[in-house]
Amino acid sequence: MSKTTIESFSCPLPKMDYTTIQLAHGAGGRLSAELLEKVFLPCLGNETLNRLDDQAVLETPGGRLSFSTDTFVVSPIFFPGGNIGDLAVNGTVNDVCMNGAVPKFLSIGFVLEEGLPISELHEIVTSVRNAADKAGVRIVTGDTKVVEKGSCDKLFINTSGIGFIPEGLHISAANLKPGNKIILSGTLADHGMAVLTARKGLSFQTTVRSDTAALNGLVSSILPVGGINAMRDPTRGGAAAVLNELAVSSGVGIELDERKIPVLDAVRGACEILGIDPLYTANEGKLIAVVEADAAETVLKAMRQHPLGENAVIIGTVTGDNPGQVLMENSLGVKRIVDMPVGEQLPRIC
Amino acid sequence: MSKTTIESFSCPLPKMDYTTIQLAHGAGGRLSAELLEKVFLPCLGNETLNRLDDQAVLETPGGRLSFSTDTFVVSPIFFPGGNIGDLAVNGTVNDVCMNGAVPKFLSIGFVLEEGLPISELHEIVTSVRNAADKAGVRIVTGDTKVVEKGSCDKLFINTSGIGFIPEGLHISAANLKPGNKIILSGTLADHGMAVLTARKGLSFQTTVRSDTAALNGLVSSILPVGGINAMRDPTRGGAAAVLNELAVSSGVGIELDERKIPVLDAVRGACEILGIDPLYTANEGKLIAVVEADAAETVLKAMRQHPLGENAVIIGTVTGDNPGQVLMENSLGVKRIVDMPVGEQLPRIC
């Protein structure tokens, strides 16, 4: 009958660095974190949301579900290696499976700009279908909104996904322990540089392709090995953001070996020309796994046998020193702090 | 290991009335249906999606889940009676519960325009929290994207929701049978006219308020009565669109009595001035239930005891004649066809 009165929630407007939204509030760096900590969490926070994992773990009578959402606003909507359609499927599949869940169902919500060619929409929806088939998930519900010309930029896509977490599995950003090894599944910065070079119309764009891919197959091929404490896919903010979040969540330090971090030559070249650090650049088909030291070599071997993990390497170690910090040693043996990204390197990368 | 090759899906570009997206493609009428039938379903269709209910029913080991998604692009973002924040919560809660499910978990994805005042965002997020508390659901995962000024209009919100369907309950748009009664839970067109008058700055806006509300409490108060075959909330396209969809899904006719359909005086006045038919106008806190004739009076009585169903009335009957059509008899005894809406009465109403 719901005649009970629920006390209305209110909280004062927080003091923030800016009074209006900046591009960097969506970049996955420090301003994103401020928006989260001062606006979203005080208003919406609860035990599940406060974990700040890329997906929620929901206890249900039939077991634990993994639930995640992501809105895709990438520009341009077509880029070398993919488009906003497969990106939207792969991105949510990846968020759902980073706790070991098996992704099964996706919703899709389109915002279309008046005037968008239906041929472009059709090509994107075809990519959605193919990406879903490849990842083994089904699109089960959807929504379409249209806004006036000028009220959005071509199209935005939200996908939300549901997966099932195998019993007994507990993978979380808070599980890192000193001595654990950091494994990266492949080269960094492919997606970010593919989008950026496409946007700028640069000539090397043909050799730089997005790595957009669903990682659930790779995840299910390494999980049986055991010893995996945490997994994350380094998207916005790149590996630097993810490693900082892991270090903070677990209250540990992380030490990286710069020489071990794989970057394709063409991508490195593009990064150098544009003054961009691959460590801070988005990936859409890579994962970082933090594993027990004695399992590291076996996990690495299993990863390398999967097409999406052929270039996997151990890039660092978890330490008890410098909790919450990521350090990186270069070829000269000099260590520097890898900070949380602050500003917007590449807006609308996903 | 996913080395199996999955055959790539492709389908030819369909012939359509327009080659570019029109506002009416998002209006819930005939052009929306064409986009669905010629683009979305041929590419993405599967047994679950093809049902075209407002929510997917997912079979899981622990029972059936109800899963729904909706992106909200309402303009203006603040309107009499609510804002885009509570609308986004209530809209998805309502879609999730129209098959009798108990909504539990919501995701939320924001697209923010650079330059949006953080004070406005804060007010909206506070409304999200209050609406979620009132509906008894938790926001468990979220995402925020920021786009450049001019690339979206202030903010868009996607919510996706999960609910649990009680065992043995089978409510579906395909269940209508001749003789069933059509119950409407209250007055029509409040939301649509509140948004429209706010947009136009009309002076009667103070007396016309959105009916935005979560209907899960009302649903759970009428379900125990039994005899409910179908429920829908008449949002975009209004009661006319929903009744046409029900008639088509079940292959039955529907006859309405125009004199029974409740519309508030202020809303009727606004509709007349603006030349808008309340039957085609969006509601955000009303439901239409199709019930067995012998249960109709008991369901009606239960509905009227709930604050959101005080003005509930039986507005019509399901017939075996005229399958797929909705007819309405006016006070002179003249029957007319209530067509599926074609164009865009009110863009960006939700």
Side-chain angles (χ1 to χ4, degrees):
Chain A
M1 292 315 213
S2 83
K3 285 228 174 168
T4 48
T5 308
I6 291 164
E7 210 174 311
S8 182
F9 167 87
S10 70
C11 72
L13 185 65
K15 268 205 189 318
M16 293 180 63
D17 285 359
Y18 295 87
T19 58
T20 60
I21 290 293
Q22 310 293 308
L23 284 175
H25 282 122
R30 278 211 194 134
L31 281 184
S32 291
E34 193 197 24
L35 192 64
L36 201 61
E37 281 157 25
K38 294 194 176 170
V39 176
F40 291 119
L41 290 183
C43 288
L44 304 181
N46 56 57
E47 204 189 330
T48 314
L49 193 70
N50 295 352
R51 297 175 67 99
L52 297 182
D53 277 323
D54 283 341
Q55 70 295 114
V57 175
L58 310 178
E59 305 281 348
T60 80
R64 289 172 303 156
L65 301 181
S66 177
F67 183 35
S68 188
T69 193
D70 228 330
T71 309
F72 295 82
V73 298
V74 64
S75 170
I77 55 177
F78 296 95
F79 46 81
N83 65 48
I84 191 171
D86 43 56
L87 192 69
V89 171
N90 294 335
T92 289
V93 164
N94 293 348
D95 281 344
V96 167
C97 75
M98 282 301 123
N99 58 11
V102 179
K104 285 285 181 194
F105 306 113
L106 249 56
S107 66
I108 192 157
F110 292 89
V111 179
L112 308 177
E113 185 185 16
E114 183 188 13
L116 178 76
I118 288 181
S119 58
E120 293 191 11
L121 177 64
H122 187 261
E123 186 174 345
I124 286 162
V125 175
T126 302
S127 296
V128 166
R129 160 67 180 268
N130 279 307
D133 283 354
K134 215 166 163 180
V137 296
R138 266 193 309 154
I139 312 283
V140 291
T141 190
D143 175 58
T144 307
K145 293 294 189 316
V146 179
V147 297
E148 311 88 324
K149 200 164 179 57
S151 289
C152 90
D153 189 7
K154 292 187 176 160
L155 85 166
F156 301 150
I157 300 180
N158 176 282
T159 49
S160 300
I162 298 176
F164 297 93
I165 307 172
E167 215 174 323
L169 200 61
H170 293 278
I171 290 175
S172 161
N175 285 354
L176 278 65
K177 287 182 287 285
N180 287 178
K181 294 293 174 190
I182 316 278
I183 303 180
L184 170 63
S185 67
T187 56
L188 285 188
D190 302 54
H191 175 73
M193 296 318 292
V195 171
L196 193 66
T197 55
R199 201 181 292 168
K200 305 220 176 223
L202 297 176
S203 59
F204 43 63
Q205 73 181 69
T206 47
T207 54
V208 179
R209 290 171 62 83
S210 169
D211 57 345
T212 177
L215 293 164
N216 52 332
L218 177 60
V219 167
S220 65
S221 75
I222 61 172
L223 272 185
V225 175
I228 298 170
N229 290 332
M231 287 190 291
R232 285 296 273 271
D233 59 329
T235 57
R236 271 186 295 181
V242 158
L243 291 166
N244 269 282
E245 285 164 13
L246 290 171
V248 170
S249 288
S250 295
V252 296
I254 289 177
E255 289 201 11
L256 304 176
D257 182 343
E258 189 167 23
R259 292 157 300 184
K260 296 282 173 58
I261 295 172
V263 180
L264 292 174
D265 285 345
V267 172
R268 193 179 295 282
C271 282
E272 279 169 9
I273 288 167
L274 296 167
I276 282 172
D277 187 338
L279 208 59
Y280 287 85
T281 305
N283 313 276
E284 291 289 345
K286 299 291 153 42
L287 66 80
I288 288 172
V290 186
V291 303
E292 295 290 334
D294 57 11
E297 285 300 330
T298 345
V299 171
L300 185 65
K301 200 175 152 194
M303 213 183 264
R304 285 182 174 163
Q305 280 171 358
H306 191 280
L308 292 177
E310 284 171 355
N311 299 311
V313 277
I314 297 175
I315 59 166
T317 307
V318 177
T319 65
D321 305 335
N322 313 306
Q325 276 202 332
V326 180
L327 297 176
M328 186 161 72
E329 186 175 322
N330 69 11
S331 53
L332 304 171
V334 180
K335 284 184 190 171
R336 66 171 174 96
I337 293 175
V338 175
D339 256 328
M340 191 69 181
V342 183
E344 179 82 15
Q345 271 207 330
L346 302 168
R348 299 183 58 189
I349 209 70
C350 59
Chain B
M1 290 314 214
S2 83
K3 283 228 174 170
T4 46
T5 308
I6 291 165
E7 210 173 311
S8 182
F9 167 86
S10 70
C11 72
L13 185 64
K15 270 206 187 317
M16 293 180 63
D17 285 359
Y18 295 88
T19 59
T20 60
I21 291 292
Q22 310 294 307
L23 284 174
H25 282 123
R30 278 211 192 133
L31 282 184
S32 292
E34 192 197 23
L35 192 64
L36 202 60
E37 282 158 24
K38 295 194 177 170
V39 177
F40 290 120
L41 290 184
C43 288
L44 304 181
N46 56 57
E47 205 189 330
T48 314
L49 192 70
N50 294 353
R51 297 176 66 99
L52 297 182
D53 277 322
D54 283 342
Q55 69 296 111
V57 175
L58 311 176
E59 304 281 348
T60 80
R64 289 173 303 155
L65 301 181
S66 178
F67 182 36
S68 188
T69 193
D70 229 329
T71 309
F72 295 82
V73 298
V74 65
S75 170
I77 55 177
F78 296 95
F79 46 81
N83 65 48
I84 192 171
D86 43 58
L87 191 69
V89 171
N90 295 335
T92 289
V93 163
N94 294 348
D95 281 344
V96 167
C97 74
M98 282 301 123
N99 58 10
V102 179
K104 284 285 180 193
F105 306 113
L106 249 55
S107 66
I108 193 157
F110 293 89
V111 179
L112 309 177
E113 185 185 16
E114 183 187 12
L116 178 77
I118 288 180
S119 58
E120 293 190 10
L121 177 64
H122 188 261
E123 186 174 344
I124 286 162
V125 175
T126 302
S127 296
V128 166
R129 160 66 181 269
N130 279 309
D133 283 355
K134 215 166 163 182
V137 297
R138 267 193 307 154
I139 311 283
V140 291
T141 189
D143 175 58
T144 307
K145 293 294 188 317
V146 179
V147 297
E148 312 87 324
K149 200 163 180 58
S151 290
C152 90
D153 189 7
K154 293 188 176 158
L155 85 165
F156 301 151
I157 300 180
N158 176 282
T159 48
S160 301
I162 298 175
F164 298 94
I165 306 172
E167 216 175 324
L169 201 60
H170 294 277
I171 289 175
S172 161
N175 285 354
L176 277 65
K177 287 183 285 287
N180 286 178
K181 295 293 174 190
I182 316 277
I183 303 180
L184 170 63
S185 68
T187 55
L188 285 188
D190 303 54
H191 175 73
M193 296 318 293
V195 171
L196 192 66
T197 54
R199 203 182 289 168
K200 306 222 175 221
L202 297 176
S203 59
F204 43 62
Q205 72 180 71
T206 46
T207 54
V208 179
R209 290 171 62 85
S210 169
D211 55 346
T212 177
L215 293 164
N216 53 332
L218 177 61
V219 167
S220 65
S221 76
I222 61 171
L223 272 185
V225 176
I228 298 170
N229 290 332
M231 288 190 290
R232 285 296 272 273
D233 57 330
T235 56
R236 270 186 295 180
V242 158
L243 291 166
N244 270 282
E245 285 164 13
L246 290 171
V248 170
S249 289
S250 295
V252 296
I254 289 177
E255 288 200 13
L256 304 177
D257 182 345
E258 188 166 25
R259 292 157 299 184
K260 297 282 173 58
I261 296 172
V263 180
L264 292 173
D265 285 345
V267 172
R268 193 180 295 282
C271 282
E272 279 169 9
I273 289 168
L274 296 166
I276 283 172
D277 186 340
L279 208 58
Y280 288 85
T281 304
N283 312 277
E284 292 289 346
K286 299 290 153 41
L287 67 80
I288 288 173
V290 186
V291 304
E292 295 290 336
D294 57 10
E297 285 300 330
T298 343
V299 171
L300 186 66
K301 200 176 153 194
M303 213 183 264
R304 284 182 174 163
Q305 280 172 357
H306 190 279
L308 293 177
E310 283 170 358
N311 300 311
V313 278
I314 297 174
I315 59 166
T317 307
V318 177
T319 65
D321 305 334
N322 312 308
Q325 276 201 334
V326 180
L327 297 175
M328 185 161 72
E329 186 176 321
N330 69 12
S331 54
L332 304 172
V334 179
K335 282 184 191 172
R336 65 171 174 100
I337 294 175
V338 176
D339 256 329
M340 190 72 181
V342 183
E344 178 82 18
Q345 271 207 332
L346 302 168
R348 299 183 59 189
I349 208 70
C350 59

